[in-house]
Every structure is written in structure tokens, then in C-alpha cells.
Amino acid sequence: MKLKVTKQAILDGLQRVQSIVVTKSTLPVLQNVLVQADKKGLSITATDLEVSVRSFVEAEVAAEGGTTIPARRFFSIVRELPEGDIDIETSSEDITTIRCGASLFKLVGISEEDFPPIPTFEGVRSYSLDQGIFKDMLVKTSYAASSDETRQILNGVLLSSHGGTMTVVATDGRRLALVEQEVEFPEKAEGDLPIPSKTVNELMRTLGDEGNLKINASDTQVAFEFDGMLIVSKLLDGTYPNFRQVIPSQSEEHLTIERELFLNAVKRVALLCTQEAPSVKLNLSKNKLEISTESPDAGEARESLAVKYSGKAMAVAFNPEFLMDPLRVLSGDEIILELTDEFSPGVVKSDVPFLYVIMPMRVS
Amino acid sequence: MSGGFGVRSCGRGGCTGAGMPPEKGRPLMLEDFPRAVLHVDADAFFASVEQAVNPALKGRPVVTGKERGIIACASYEAKALGIRRGVPLWEARRRCPQLVVLPSDYETYSLYSRRMFGIMRSFTPLVEEYSVDEGFADITGLRRVYRCSYREIACRLQEKIRAELGIGVSVGLSLSKSLAKLASKYRKPKGMTAVSGYALHLFLRRIELGEVWGFGENTVNLLRGYGLETAWDFVSRPRWWAGRLLGKTGREIWDELRGKSVWPVEAEARRVRASVSKCKTFVPPSGDRDFVYAKLVRNLESAFIKLRRHGLRAGRIGIWLRRGDFFQEGRQAVLSRATAVAGEVLPEVRRLFDDLFQAGEEYRAVMVVLEMLEADGPRQYELFEDRPRIERARRVAAAVDGINRRYGKHTVSAGTCLFMEGRGGGEREELPWRKKALLPGESFRRRVALPRWNLRMDGGSLQRAGGGGRR
């Protein structure tokens, strides 16, 4: 393999795969990136066996071929090199020579045959949508995913495509975030794709704000292709719980609140929450919403907001983090909060097709 | 032995009296009691209580633990005949045919225990209930109140317990909890040992390392390796040396032994609980699946009752089965959410039990351990849980607690427990006297919370109370 590439191009390519590289592994080749050159250019691949990320870089290829190079070393060398062209050449013993100006590096690599191949599959289900829209859907939901490893199926977001609507859902069993979007896809592409959080984070990091995104899925794998990037990921094992059944069909009381005022008020009151069981109480009375918390150790905090409310008086307690999460990712000026009583789920809505269900806390 | 009722500092061999010049070495301290801590330790507590409620047993070798087949506590008369705690009953009876073997009557023991601590509290509010039969009291500064020395206060306390409860206690008076504990053990039974700061260096020379509170077999062997034999040898080494070898605990024990109290008497002895466990031995061992499971469920219910009483909920549950040959095995499960209701974990317990129980094996004990305890306070509801069912289970548990509070523990319990009826038997199933001689209005589950004397002098009842269950 022999090629010439600009520093910026290869640095960008490396940056986009870097976070996947495994730092400690029983399989040493996972600490390397796979570098392959062909007529189209240069591709850089990293994998942790769950997720594989490949980025394509423009390069003048003099001789095709491939090798693997220790990722961290390769990345830091490229980062420190001066701007300009870099010559890369690999010997048959997988020793890669990097030349740039007066600098010369020789890196000992591992043969490309040892690198786990990226699963290739002809996706049965395949459709396209806008990158920006998809990224926004992930941002609005992914924070609600669980990190509890005992419930693996919840460790990610669900892409559910049915009847012309694509639904992205994440839940940790205590709150649930959902976004819907009309997407055109062929009927045979319908189905559910539970995507691991790691892949979701990769997507949110690398997806652009516009441009096309192609999704290709089999029963166990999913591939995302966009802007010279390919991300292939395993799907989560198991059946996603029936999230539709926990969405309250109707709530008794509705109120509209200014999003930022509400967010800041909760943030302030939550400063006095204790670590073990953080909860803030929402006290609703006529045209008034009082947010409060008290603990025998820390003290108490309360703050009132003027709201338009004429329903019944009630008090419901929530985990403040769960309450603030959707307020942070939404952009509209107002949100709608729907409540029924202190045991029933609360719902946060917005002017966009967004829905957030949050379970209250029992405070004795 | 009432010889201990002295005001001497150190009795064995008469090493020092108050104000007597030390035999040898320099004292560790030139104060008598910068802090005065009492350790009160009941002598052969269970057996003493049995003798107290049934005076006919006084002076006779009495042991308790009939229901377990192993001696739980032996009176001093029995100890004099070489009978110790942990000896199997058949062995004890062989050695001593006149032995009085009684089933344990924990109700009476706990009533006596409460009274003992009550008497201690009448002296000072700073009383720590260390276990059912021993406790600490901090009497610093009480000399002025009682117009007498700390030694005299300790003697008065001991005499008051003897006079009011009729049981003997050994009392140790010293500068820290560790020292007081060593002192109370120094002369038993009914001993009273006061170790002041002046006499510390003499007292510690007579204490072997193994007696020190906090030194187990391993630590003792480790210290022996450095040529140490007595507590004095230990405190003669520098403090940093103790710390380097044994860490923080080592430094603390070093301080405590040198008369610097670092472990305060904790009057609010509501220590944070790490676990709640219930273990019940049943004899004869049983290989009946239903019976063993019923025993397990009963333990589970008892454990959860205790859990609710302390306002806690558990996040992990463990069960243990002990076979007839004392081999034991257990299983644990982490719950998806902490609970204070036994009914909620029953299906999981059933699964663990089925995994553990082996047909053809005989089991002699079951144990339940509840761990990962947290305050049963605020609780985050879950989206995918069956909340009405959980709330119902909570309400049922609260109602059952209410009924049982009124009519006695386990009046209402899981139906599974019916499998306990009519099994077992044998002399070990014999009930304590208190549960057989019910007062009018008392039930098997609910009795007057007062200790009762067993004073019926007719041969029959005496025979029953003390004669090893022969009818």
C-alpha cells in the first residue's frame, strides 16, 4: 500500500473512528485501525466487535493494499504533524512508514487478515431519511435510555417503523421519551430496531445536519451510511417492552408552562435534593405551580411559578433530573405538562411530535 | 463468687489496691478515671434467667437449648461439671445425668434484658445495648450526683440488678470500652473489676492478646510472630507500628487499651443495619420439601416483619439451607427494585428454593438474609410495573401487620406455612414453660409482657419445667 493524503483529511477520518477503538482488549488487533487503500481512496475502520465504524478519506493511491496500525499512536502522530501532504507506505511485513516534511515514523502493525471483518449483509429492510432529522430524533430521546446492565434491551433506543411513521423511543423504565416522524419507506422495511447506546452516541457525534442517511438492517445488525461514513452495529438482544401501553391515553389536568422558567426553577430547587432519593414536589393550585423539596438533613427550597391552571389542586413528586432532561433538549418556548394524580404518570408534550412520560415518586 | 465485690482495682493475685504503689514499671497514666466506662455482662444469662423465674432450679446444673439439641447456655453449676455451650445434648446428658435441660424461652430472656438495661439507664442515659446480655454505660461525671466513687457506683448498679432481677452480672469499670470489657471478663461470675489509669500498666500485663476485643485468631498469631504475648506488649510498641500492621482498627485498639476512649458509648445504638437475617433450626431434620419450604417462608415473613419495623426495604435476598450433616448452601437474588413486602419476593424465593433443595437430603435449618437495605422512603415508580398490584401488596402487608400486632405474630401468614403443622415432634419441640402455662386471656402468640415466676411447687409441674420433658 502506498498513498499520499493531506493531514487534515486523514486527521478527520481518524477522529471519526477514534472513540470506538478499544484501549484494553484480549484481542490486540482491536487496538489498531484497519487502513485500506483502493482506487476510490482510503478507508479507516475501527471496531469493538459490537460497533464498527468506517470513514472514507480522499487520497492519491499509488499502490492498493491494507494493514492495521496502532490507533492511538497513529492518531497522535498525525495530529502533531505540520499541515501538508503525508506519504504513507506499508511494507509486506506490515511496517508502515509515515513521511511528512522532515519527519519519518515507522509503525509496527498487524496484518489486515487478523482484523475482524465488518459484517456485510444485504439488508432486507432498507430506507433513507434526512441526517439532521434523525440526529434530532436521537438527541430528543437517547438520554432516557437505561444504563442498568440487568435490562439490556433498554440500553439503547428503539427505531420503530410502522405505517409510514418512524418512532424513536428510549426508556429506563421510569421515564420514556418518544419522537415520531413521517418517513417514506417500503412496506417490507417495517419493523423494530433496538440500537445500543454506544452506536447512538457515535451517530449523534458524527451525523451531519443535512444530507441523506441510508439505513440498512437485518435481524441482528444495522448499518448506517452517510457522508463517507459507515457505521455497522449489532442490535440489542431481546424484545422491547410494549411502550405504547404505558403512554396514558388521557390525563385529567393540563397546564402550559414556559419551558426555560420551569427548567431554571426546578434546577434551583433541586440543589437541595439529597443523593439517595432526589425528588421535587410539584404543588398545583389555582393559577399557581409551586416547586419544592425538603429533607431533614439538607433543608428546604421552594419556588412558585404563575401558570394558567384551573384544575384540581394536587401534589406530585418527581425525580428532578427526569423532569429537567426533556426541558433541556426541547427548543420551543412552552411545554405542556399533563397530570392525573400523585400515582399516575405525568406527560410532557411540546409543539413538535414529542412525548415524554415520567413516573412520579412516592414520598411518605 | 461474691469475692469480686470489692473496690480493688485488680483482683487476681491482688496486684494493686486503690492508691497502692505499683509493683513495677511506670504507669501509663497519672489519672484515675478521666473517663469512666462500665461494661455490664450477665453471667450465663439464659440459664440465670431460668433460675430466676424458677427458684427450684437454683443451685442445679441448668442448660437451655433443648429445641436445638445443642446447649445454648449452661449455668455455672453445669459449667462446673464440664458442660459448655455448643455441646450436643446427648453428650451433656451422658456426662451429667442430673442435668436440667430447658427449651429456650426467648420471650422471658428479652424481658429480663430490657429490665437490665432499664436499671442501667436509671443510673445514666448513656447506655449502649451491645447485645441481649451485655451493655456499656458511660458514668463519667456521676461521682458528684451519687456522692461516691465510680467503683461504688458500679457496685451499686451490680447490686441493684442482683436484687431486682435475681441474676448475676459481672461489671468492669475502666477508661474505655475495650478496657471495661476486659475488666468485666477478668473476674466472673458476679465479679467487679475496676481498672483505673494508675493501674492500667499492671492490668494489661495480665491480659493475653486473644482476650482483647477486636483481636481474632489471625491477628493474635500475627502479633505472636512479632514476639508479643500480652496486651501490655502490644501497647508498648509505638502507635504507628500498630497502625502499620493492623491499619486504623489497630491504632484504635492501641488507643483504647492505653485508656484513650475512641469508641464512644453509643446511647443511640440504632446502628445502620447492613442486613436482616432469620435462621431457624428444626429437629429432627426433615427431607420433606413442603415442610422445609414452609419453614423458609416463615423465616422470610419474620425477616420482613423486622425489616418493616425498622422502616427499611431490601434490594437483595439470600436463602440458605443447612443439611443434617451441617453442610450448607445458599442462593441469592438481586431484586429489580427494593421491597418491604414478603409477598412480592415469594415467587423468586420459590425459584431459589427449588434450585437449592435436593430430594433425598435431610435439612436441619433454613436461613433468610435480606441485604442492600435502604430506608423505605421516597420511591420512584416504574413504568412497566404492575403498580396497582404492588400498592395492593403494600396495603395487605400493612393490614397483616396490624392484625398481628393485635393478635400476635404470625396470626395471619402465608398459607404455605400450614405445611409446618403436625410435623417434627419429639422432645425438642417442647415449649418453654411460659408458653404452656398461659394466663387467662393470653394466647399462644400473645402474652403479658412481664416476666413470670414459675412457682408452682407441685411435683408435676416442676418435673415438667425442669425434668427434661418426661411426662
Side-chain angles (χ1 to χ4, degrees), chain A residues 151 171 173-176 241 246 319 343 357 359-362, chain B residues 313 336 376-385 387 391 394:
Chain A
R151 298 158 97 181
T171 180
R174 294 161 186 150
R175 35 64 180 277
L176 175 147
V246 300
N319 180 328
F343 310 113
V357 184
M359 287 307 286
M361 294 183 77
R362 184 189 78 214
Chain B
R313 60 186 178 223
S336 58
D376 194 9
R379 142 90 115 246
Q380 171 72 54
Y381 291 132
E382 303 261 334
L383 280 164
F384 299 102
E385 69 191 5
R387 201 158 26 80
E391 287 299 317
R394 269 175 62 83

Side-chain angles (χ1 to χ4, degrees), chain A residues 202-271:
Chain A
E202 255 343 274
L203 282 166
M204 291 198 293
R205 219 167 55 81
T206 49
L207 276 171
D209 291 330
E210 50 193 21
N212 195 44
L213 164 72
K214 205 173 146 212
I215 301 177
N216 233 321
S218 72
D219 286 341
T220 54
Q221 304 270 353
V222 61
F224 300 89
E225 262 186 274
F226 56 96
D227 292 350
M229 284 286 292
L230 171 70
I231 298 181
V232 180
S233 164
K234 277 189 180 168
L235 293 173
L236 293 169
D237 269 340
T239 314
Y240 208 79
N242 181 2
F243 60 90
R244 302 257 173 220
Q245 79 179 20
V246 300
I247 298 172
S249 50
Q250 211 177 349
S251 300
E252 286 180 13
E253 308 294 349
H254 300 239
L255 72 157
T256 307
I257 319 175
E258 273 191 59
R259 182 178 62 86
E260 287 211 6
L261 284 182
F262 188 36
L263 174 61
N264 290 332
V266 175
K267 206 185 280 176
R268 279 190 288 270
V269 171
L271 294 174

Side-chain angles (χ1 to χ4, degrees), chain A residues 265 269 272 281 283 290-294 300-304:
Chain A
V269 171
L272 278 197
K281 200 182 253 178
N283 248 307
E290 189 192 59
I291 307 157
S292 66
T293 188
E294 53 190 288
E300 60 175 271
R302 46 191 86 241
E303 182 158 344
S304 297

